[in-house]
Amino acid sequence: MKTLVLGGYGNFGARISRALAGDPGIELLVAGRDAQRATAFAESLGGGARGVRIDVQAPDLADTLRRLGIALVIHTAGPFQNQDYRVPQAVAAAGAHYIDLADGRRFVCDFPSAQDAAFRDAGRTAASGASTVPALSSAVVDHLAAGWQGVRSIDICIAPAQGAPRGEATLAGVLAYCGEPIRVWQGGKWVERPGWADPVKVEFARMKPRRGALCDIPDLELFPARYAGVQSVMFRAALEVGLAQHAFAFMAFMHRMGLLPTPQKLVPLLHSAGGVFDALGTALGGMVVRVEGTDAQGAPARRAWHIAADDNHGPEIPCMAAILLARRLARGDALPIGAHACAGLLALSEFEPEFARWGMVTDVVEEEGAVTA
């Protein structure tokens, strides 16, 4: 299966390219705006990988994909918060499958209604959000609540290692909602809370507690619809160095006061200055998903899933869903035709060999008490 990775030499694209380059069922093309970088990186992978220059803004993108004979496009060139759908539209027109790593709420949540007809007409599969959220997060919730009568609350927190590589696109996506009002499902109704403000303490199984703040991700909108009867859905990010977390909270405050109109303009400065905090952090990052509800016997239940990723391997996690789906397609396994937000397309068991590959450790913990909303 001829597979093209857009942004294939970037922070996440390079990881996906490395994983797929050795797959005997995949012919890999590493794509980006810089043909020289794409070619050099592809040659370093071996396995017949090739580098190509692709301009996603070009009006003839569909023709280019068709000329290259592409069967699958994996789109990693974020940030997705302000992107339109020109890339998936071109992929559908070229008659190829499509996977992206989008974490932009509107991009992922509106994707099925906007793109389903085109991919159904093409007889192809498109999955948006094939990343930590909502692909892995939904797999974890499904696993934790399997057999339950109902889910009442879902609380998720991602805690990256300070030393893990950081991409400018990721940082730009994060700053897009810093201090912005975010619609959150709390107490069975929609309320607004400011992004990155008011961090709270979050407990982890194999890491020290951190303070996490609200982030705007697709799960906040997808999960109230996916899990009937859920009353609260929360998602936070917890930076390892407290000073960095407070800096984001301060920027959120400044934005709300009108003193920092466009936080995204700070991306180059923050990206270059981020290394200053590395000496204060470690190579250990992770994630926790807590669910509360009613178990099969009708009794109150609360359960948590934790993952700890050492040696700065945390950035491998957002790449796993796209890798797993690409391998499925290359094997000829059936995936639902049409356009989908990537929730429920993968089971947690499918991720476990990837966790083991990178030495990541998971725990499922039965907990007591109510989830903090």
Side-chain angles (χ1 to χ4, degrees):
M1 182 178 68
K2 189 174 283 190
T3 300
L4 183 142
V5 181
L6 279 174
Y9 48 79
N11 189 36
F12 295 132
R15 290 173 164 81
I16 293 172
S17 295
R18 289 190 193 100
L20 298 181
D23 192 303
I26 290 176
E27 180 183 346
L28 181 68
L29 277 71
V30 175
R33 289 175 293 184
D34 188 326
Q36 189 172 358
R37 286 184 66 188
T39 299
F41 181 70
E43 290 176 350
S44 76
L45 298 175
R50 292 192 292 129
V52 295
R53 183 186 183 278
I54 293 285
D55 179 6
V56 298
Q57 307 293 330
D60 63 345
L61 178 58
D63 293 335
T64 300
L65 297 174
R66 199 179 295 112
R67 175 175 53 80
L68 291 171
I70 302 302
L72 166 66
V73 171
I74 302 177
H75 186 6
T76 75
F80 289 87
Q81 275 71 12
N82 295 311
Q83 282 197 34
D84 58 24
Y85 292 128
R86 71 183 64 193
V87 173
Q89 286 168 351
V91 174
H97 299 290
Y98 171 88
I99 298 169
D100 69 43
L101 271 64
D103 59 356
R105 181 167 173 172
R106 291 271 50 86
F107 190 99
V108 176
C109 292
D110 296 342
F111 185 81
S113 60
Q115 300 301 307
D116 190 62
F119 280 95
R120 284 190 181 279
D121 289 345
R124 296 292 182 265
T125 296
S128 183
S131 192
T132 308
V133 293
L136 174 58
S137 54
S138 64
V140 173
V141 174
D142 290 348
H143 177 80
L144 291 176
W148 282 15
Q149 294 181 11
V151 176
R152 181 172 177 80
S153 64
I154 301 169
D155 196 300
I156 305 169
C157 184
I158 290 179
Q162 177 61 36
R166 297 170 292 272
E168 285 196 41
T170 301
L171 186 55
V174 164
L175 289 178
Y177 51 80
C178 186
E180 287 288 318
I182 297 174
R183 292 181 75 240
V184 187
W185 186 249
Q186 296 286 283
K189 63 181 180 180
W190 291 106
V191 298
E192 287 191 345
R193 301 281 186 267
W196 281 102
D198 307 318
V200 301
K201 184 179 179 181
V202 180
E203 302 278 352
F204 300 90
R206 296 174 184 264
M207 299 189 299
K208 294 178 180 178
R210 298 188 187 181
R211 298 186 70 80
L214 172 64
C215 293
D216 194 20
I217 51 102
D219 301 32
L220 295 175
E221 188 167 329
L222 295 175
F223 285 8
R226 178 174 172 79
Y227 301 100
V230 71
Q231 296 296 296
S232 297
V233 177
M234 176 56 66
F235 181 94
R236 297 182 177 94
L239 304 181
E240 183 174 11
V241 177
L243 186 59
Q245 190 82 44
H246 288 303
F248 273 88
F250 179 70
M251 285 188 290
F253 171 77
M254 294 286 284
H255 180 67
R256 289 157 64 195
M257 294 297 102
L259 301 176
L260 184 61
T262 314
Q264 299 96 308
K265 290 185 177 180
L266 296 178
V267 166
L269 174 63
L270 293 175
H271 186 259
S272 60
V276 173
F277 296 113
D278 288 356
L280 304 176
T282 68
L284 180 63
M287 174 181 179
V288 60
V289 179
R290 289 185 165 91
V291 296
E292 182 181 10
T294 306
D295 68 16
Q297 289 72 44
R302 181 181 175 181
R303 184 177 287 167
W305 177 88
H306 300 259
I307 186 169
D310 210 346
D311 300 320
N312 287 324
H313 288 326
E316 301 295 339
I317 297 175
C319 305
M320 291 177 180
I323 293 166
L324 292 169
L325 290 173
R327 288 173 178 162
R328 266 203 201 177
L329 289 167
R331 291 194 305 263
D333 293 354
L335 284 173
I337 298 301
H340 312 272
C342 196
L345 293 183
L346 292 161
L348 183 59
S349 58
E350 295 179 80
F351 288 90
E352 288 168 355
E354 297 301 310
F355 298 152
R357 187 188 314 277
W358 295 101
M360 299 175 186
V361 183
T362 62
D363 299 276
V364 175
V365 181
E366 303 292 339
E367 298 185 337
E368 296 181 358
V371 174
T372 301

